[in-house]
Amino acid sequence: MTTDSAPSTPVIQDAPPETRVHEGPHTEPVAHLQQQQQQQQQQQQQIPAVEGVPVPPVLETERVPVEHVTEGAAADTDQPTVATKDGVDASTQNTERAKEIVEEFEYLLEKSQQLFSGLSDLPEIGSKYWMPHFQRTFEVYTKLWKYQTQHRVLLEKPEHYGLKRWEVGEIASKIGQLYYRYYLRTSETNYLQEAYMFYDAIRERSYFKGEQEVKNSALMIKKLRYYARFIMVCLQMNNAPMMLQLLEEVKALIDIYSTTFNPVDKMEWSLVVKEMAMFMQAVCSPVPSNHSGTASLPVSYRLVARRRLRPEKDGSKFRLQEAVIVGNRPTQIKFSELTLDMYYMLQMLEREPSTNSKEAATGSAATPAIPAATETAEGSTAVIADGSTADTPEAPETAADTGGAGAVGGKGKAAIKDKVEPNERDKDTVEKERPGRRVNPHKYVLYQPNFSQIQVYLANAFREIGEQGCVLLYLSSEGASTEVPDTTNGAAAHGYIGGIATARRSSGEAAKDRSAEQLINSVHPADLVPYTRKPFFLVVESESSWAYKDMPNLFNQPLLCLLSPTEYPITSSSGSIYTFFLHSPIVAFCVVSQITSMAAEQWSELETLFIEFEDLALELLNTYASSQVRKFMGDDFLRQIVIRHVLCCVLLDLHLEFVRPEHLPQSSPERFKDVVSAPVLLRKARDVIELCSVEDRYRMSDRPLTPPAKPQSPTQEQVPPASPQPIAAATVAEAITGDSGANDHPASLST
């Protein structure tokens, strides 16, 4: 007999238990077991209740096993039979639930892969076409990451799905790629940081590390591609220490890959590593190191927010909204689809991120919202961390190991809207509603494009800008021939007088006439005239930049052309010097002055001098520049470019090796003659030279100068200055690379 307090074990009533229970050598009578259970219950009731400590319940395993009931008692055991069915039903329900979880995971995984594959087919122009697909992809990957985090323990069991650690890493890698692609299309550096956070978390948690990689060549390739993408993100974030570590790791991984599998693409991966190391050396080597040579001195390449004298109100309305960056220098060092010149301009047209990569890697930075247009519940974030729930990959049985290294999303609808409103760059209301938002101009980055591609992207940029918007076109390319062939039927008279060369696609009869082919495949000044119907800002880095000097302004809209020198008396392996000056005047000055080391205190003093140098140039520009140029000066990025153009002209004009007119930059229609020749600006330039003790490389005595005149007209005659070219920098040596450069492959990259 059982009491009310005893476990609800099935018991047969009203007869001696001996007649119903088989007492074999390996079983016990039911009554004896029931007595033990009653005794245990009584003992528990005698335990004094301690405040805050619950009394332990009777364990389910202490109940009488149903298997101890004999076959002879089957007629009287309806209750045990019911209990057996309940157990079977619970087991069946658990199995069905597990099956549903696996099916849902497989559906989300397949859906995410389909959407991700579709990203490469999206048009690179027109946000209304590609934005919805990105939003859907972000939404599915958010659900996928959260789902596998919640059900990781079950999914890892071989009898259900057998989720491997590298598969989790692959999902995280896809999310990192998604963020990076979104950064390329929107130019918002927040998403670049998100990509870094995911890639760094993959590395920290060793998602791709294990015995499988030695046995699986496909997994090795996934890991190599992950490293290449991570290095590109580190390059964009100027995280040189991490790049060095990654280069060492990927080099060792390629060695393992080559010796283990002897693949046919091992030379290609070796070239990739060489390309990475060459590009990194070209970017980092110009920066002077401290006197001990242990570290490079700190320098910021992006636009840093600081208080500065603003131009007059009549020039404060234009904003740079669209930029087209073209690179076509096959001989210049490159990585992926970025040449050095393109990389410098890309960095110059972005604001410095609010948090550094170290904060991002540790999860201390605030996570931006998911770029998705769907309504997301508050707090429904998917965090890439090896903890916070029981289903962690490190230790499924515990939830104590927590961490936070980034997230796919999670600030609710308001934050989502803040990030992804399409085509809002040209509305002044955006700035008024969200004054704290960091806005970068939208960029198209084109590597070795043909003429048609340049026209398509430029026309789309022209279409996207608003009434107070401006388009910037940067051309870095080899120059077209200066000779106009006789067969062009007066092409020179109509403005087709040469320009920058584009990727050639020779075909038909035109291919037989090289002059005609070159004429067809060049971007001439006349090709750009239609885009001067709106404010147009042109920067040309080419041997034939002279062709754009007198580009006509037929529509009376603000127009400014900044042109590089056509010759450089010195060479550099770190890119074109004029573009380098626009990118970082202080580092470019060190390049042309051959300064390789400097004390940290002296460097800080030099930075202060350059800030004063730039502020002084801005004051002079506000005084002497034309009203059309002052309209450009209202934009932070364009103002910085114009100021650094002036600094470049002043410093190179004083340099003893830049003595001929073709050695100096030029501009049109504004010449900046009075600004460049201002005595106060020359004195500040000489202060910079004296601080660095490089007087032997510069002209320290004044030429006869005419006093600055009042604001000049845009048609005033130009006094051509002389311009820079890269100085001989350290050749790409040892490190991880081998010898010289890698092959260049034409491609297109859209931001």
Side-chain angles (χ1 to χ4, degrees):
M1 298 288 295
T2 60
T3 64
D4 293 338
S5 61
S8 57
T9 306
V11 177
I12 308 299
Q13 303 284 342
D14 300 331
E18 291 81 359
T19 62
R20 298 179 179 86
V21 178
H22 170 70
E23 294 181 343
H26 301 293
T27 62
E28 297 184 21
V30 174
H32 178 65
L33 291 174
Q34 289 175 348
Q35 290 176 2
Q36 288 183 345
Q37 292 170 354
Q38 290 176 359
Q39 292 174 1
Q40 290 175 356
Q41 266 197 332
Q42 292 173 0
Q43 291 174 0
Q44 287 179 353
Q45 292 174 356
Q46 295 173 0
I47 297 175
V50 181
E51 184 178 358
V53 180
V55 177
V58 179
L59 298 178
E60 294 291 331
T61 55
E62 295 174 350
R63 293 180 178 176
V64 179
V66 178
E67 293 81 1
H68 292 170
V69 181
T70 63
E71 295 179 1
D76 300 320
T77 55
D78 292 337
Q79 213 171 357
T81 305
V82 173
T84 305
K85 289 182 179 179
D86 289 343
V88 172
D89 290 345
S91 176
T92 304
Q93 289 177 359
N94 291 337
T95 304
E96 291 178 353
R97 175 59 181 157
K99 185 178 179 181
E100 291 175 0
I101 291 174
V102 171
E103 289 177 351
E104 178 68 13
F105 175 76
E106 290 176 339
Y107 167 77
L108 290 174
L109 184 62
E110 182 181 359
K111 188 68 175 176
S112 65
Q113 291 172 347
Q114 290 175 354
L115 290 171
F116 190 88
S117 300
L119 295 177
S120 57
D121 299 329
L122 295 176
E124 296 179 350
I125 58 177
S127 59
K128 67 178 181 180
Y129 299 110
W130 58 261
M131 184 77 75
H133 191 94
F134 263 90
Q135 291 167 349
R136 265 187 85 198
T137 309
F138 268 110
E139 179 186 0
V140 171
Y141 268 100
T142 301
K143 292 179 180 178
L144 175 63
W145 184 260
K146 183 180 178 182
Y147 198 81
Q148 65 84 24
T149 303
Q150 292 174 342
H151 304 286
R152 178 95 51 92
V153 170
L154 186 143
L155 292 172
E156 286 179 339
K157 293 180 179 178
E159 63 269 23
H160 294 302
Y161 184 83
L163 182 66
K164 302 295 190 299
R165 189 167 180 77
W166 65 265
E167 292 178 297
V168 179
E170 188 175 11
I171 296 173
S173 178
K174 289 287 179 63
I175 296 174
Q177 293 177 56
L178 196 58
Y179 271 118
Y180 182 68
R181 290 190 181 192
Y182 200 77
Y183 154 74
L184 292 178
R185 288 181 179 265
T186 62
S187 304
E188 289 296 332
T189 50
N190 281 340
Y191 301 118
L192 181 65
Q193 285 187 317
E194 291 296 313
Y196 178 92
M197 288 153 62
F198 270 88
Y199 285 142
D200 186 61
I202 293 170
R203 178 174 174 268
E204 289 296 323
R205 292 162 178 80
S206 303
Y207 278 129
F208 285 121
K209 189 174 183 180
E211 297 179 358
Q212 299 94 332
E213 68 183 19
V214 183
K215 304 174 183 177
N216 190 339
S217 61
L219 181 57
M220 288 287 285
I221 293 175
K222 288 180 186 292
K223 191 172 182 178
L224 289 171
R225 289 175 177 170
Y226 152 74
Y227 268 99
R229 296 184 183 110
F230 193 9
I231 290 173
M232 172 58 80
V233 171
C234 292
L235 177 67
Q236 299 279 16
M237 296 188 70
N238 298 307
N239 192 339
M242 178 61 77
M243 283 187 66
L244 281 173
Q245 296 180 36
L246 294 175
L247 281 171
E248 292 290 345
E249 292 175 13
V250 76
K251 182 175 182 292
L253 193 63
I254 289 175
D255 291 342
I256 296 174
Y257 177 61
S258 301
T259 55
T260 304
F261 301 101
N262 192 25
V264 294
D265 60 347
K266 61 181 179 181
M267 291 303 299
E268 295 179 16
W269 280 109
S270 299
L271 287 175
V272 169
V273 174
K274 183 188 298 184
E275 203 175 63
M276 294 174 187
M278 290 178 66
F279 197 97
M280 182 181 174
Q281 173 139 352
V283 169
C284 299
S285 61
V287 182
S289 60
N290 53 27
H291 281 325
S292 62
T294 55
S296 297
L297 295 167
V299 60
S300 178
Y301 294 116
R302 289 183 169 93
L303 181 66
V304 179
R306 66 182 182 87
R307 298 194 62 179
R308 173 180 267 169
L309 181 65
R310 302 282 294 186
E312 298 176 9
K313 286 187 177 181
D314 64 348
S316 61
K317 293 183 179 180
F318 283 149
R319 280 201 315 131
L320 177 61
Q321 295 176 348
E322 297 285 337
V324 181
I325 301 174
V326 177
N328 186 27
R329 289 187 176 273
T331 58
Q332 193 173 82
I333 296 174
K334 75 173 188 70
F335 176 46
S336 184
E337 297 172 352
L338 283 177
T339 64
L340 287 170
D341 287 351
M342 296 167 68
Y343 169 75
Y344 294 149
M345 282 299 297
L346 189 64
Q347 295 262 302
M348 188 176 58
L349 296 177
E350 293 178 352
R351 302 180 190 273
E352 193 67 41
S354 56
T355 56
N356 56 39
S357 58
K358 182 178 179 180
E359 290 175 337
T362 57
S364 59
T367 304
I370 288 189
T374 56
E375 294 190 20
T376 306
E378 184 73 14
S380 60
T381 61
V383 179
I384 178 168
D386 275 344
S388 72
T389 61
D391 27 336
T392 60
E394 294 288 355
E397 68 279 1
T398 178
D401 185 19
T402 60
V408 185
K411 286 191 180 179
K413 182 179 179 181
I416 291 172
K417 183 179 178 182
D418 179 73
K419 281 294 169 189
V420 296
E421 290 184 14
N423 296 329
E424 289 295 314
R425 294 183 298 270
D426 55 340
K427 295 185 179 179
D428 294 338
T429 56
V430 175
E431 289 290 330
K432 293 178 182 177
E433 292 174 0
R434 300 188 293 274
R437 186 186 181 197
R438 296 179 297 106
V439 180
N440 296 323
H442 176 255
K443 298 179 288 294
Y444 295 111
V445 184
L446 309 176
Y447 176 62
Q448 287 192 345
N450 55 46
F451 176 80
S452 300
Q453 290 173 322
I454 295 175
Q455 291 293 315
V456 167
Y457 288 103
L458 192 55
N460 187 74
F462 180 84
R463 180 179 63 88
E464 289 287 328
I465 65 172
E467 293 181 359
Q468 301 299 326
C470 171
V471 174
L472 180 145
L473 174 62
Y474 172 77
L475 301 173
S476 172
S477 176
E478 296 176 342
S481 173
T482 58
E483 298 180 2
V484 179
D486 297 332
T487 58
T488 58
N489 298 323
H494 296 86
Y496 296 91
I497 55 175
I500 65 107
T502 64
R504 297 178 180 178
R505 291 187 177 180
S506 58
S507 61
E509 294 297 325
K512 300 179 181 179
D513 188 341
R514 189 165 184 80
S515 298
E517 180 189 344
Q518 191 171 34
L519 185 70
I520 292 172
N521 291 284
S522 298
V523 178
H524 304 275
D527 294 322
L528 304 179
V529 170
Y531 305 107
T532 61
R533 288 177 170 84
K534 293 182 180 180
F536 194 74
F537 197 99
L538 177 65
V539 181
V540 182
E541 177 71 70
S542 177
E543 299 85 354
S544 58
S545 61
W546 60 269
Y548 303 89
K549 184 172 66 174
D550 297 316
M551 196 168 79
N553 186 4
L554 304 180
F555 305 102
N556 199 29
Q557 291 292 318
L559 171 67
L560 184 60
C561 305
L562 303 182
L563 312 174
S564 73
T566 56
E567 287 184 21
Y568 287 116
I570 54 180
T571 58
S572 171
S573 62
S574 298
S576 305
I577 286 189
Y578 176 67
T579 299
F580 212 156
F581 262 99
L582 300 183
H583 171 61
S584 177
I586 187 170
V587 179
F589 169 75
C590 293
V591 170
V592 297
S593 304
Q594 296 185 353
I595 299 172
T596 57
S597 65
M598 186 180 296
E601 299 79 10
Q602 187 182 9
W603 179 259
S604 179
E605 212 176 324
L606 183 61
E607 287 182 317
T608 303
L609 267 181
F610 263 95
I611 291 174
E612 296 173 358
F613 200 1
E614 291 187 359
D615 290 343
L616 184 57
L618 176 58
E619 285 187 47
L620 293 169
L621 286 166
N622 286 336
T623 303
Y624 297 109
S626 67
S627 60
Q628 287 200 347
V629 171
R630 289 201 299 273
K631 289 182 179 179
F632 287 122
M633 302 287 287
D635 180 82
D636 294 339
F637 298 101
L638 299 181
R639 179 172 63 251
Q640 178 174 260
I641 293 174
V642 174
I643 290 173
R644 292 177 174 181
H645 169 84
V646 170
L647 264 59
C648 179
C649 292
V650 172
L651 289 171
L652 294 184
D653 190 37
L654 294 176
H655 201 288
L656 294 178
E657 295 192 51
F658 292 80
V659 293
R660 297 166 56 185
E662 55 266 28
H663 294 165
L664 298 176
Q666 301 183 48
S667 59
S668 172
E670 191 86 9
R671 311 298 188 184
F672 303 117
K673 172 186 175 183
D674 297 323
V675 178
V676 172
S677 60
V680 63
L681 203 60
L682 293 175
R683 282 197 297 272
K684 183 62 68 174
R686 292 192 175 106
D687 290 343
V688 171
I689 295 168
E690 290 173 356
L691 176 65
C692 299
S693 304
V694 287
E695 296 91 338
D696 57 330
R697 297 185 180 276
Y698 292 87
R699 176 174 49 82
M700 300 304 290
S701 59
D702 288 333
R703 293 174 182 167
L705 297 173
T706 57
K710 280 303 175 184
Q712 61 181 20
S713 68
T715 57
Q716 183 176 349
E717 275 303 315
Q718 162 194 359
V719 176
S723 192
Q725 206 251 329
I727 178 174
T731 56
V732 187
E734 55 247 28
I736 302 165
T737 79
D739 15 305
S740 45
N743 297 335
D744 295 280
H745 306 286
S748 166
L749 175 71
S750 171
T751 315

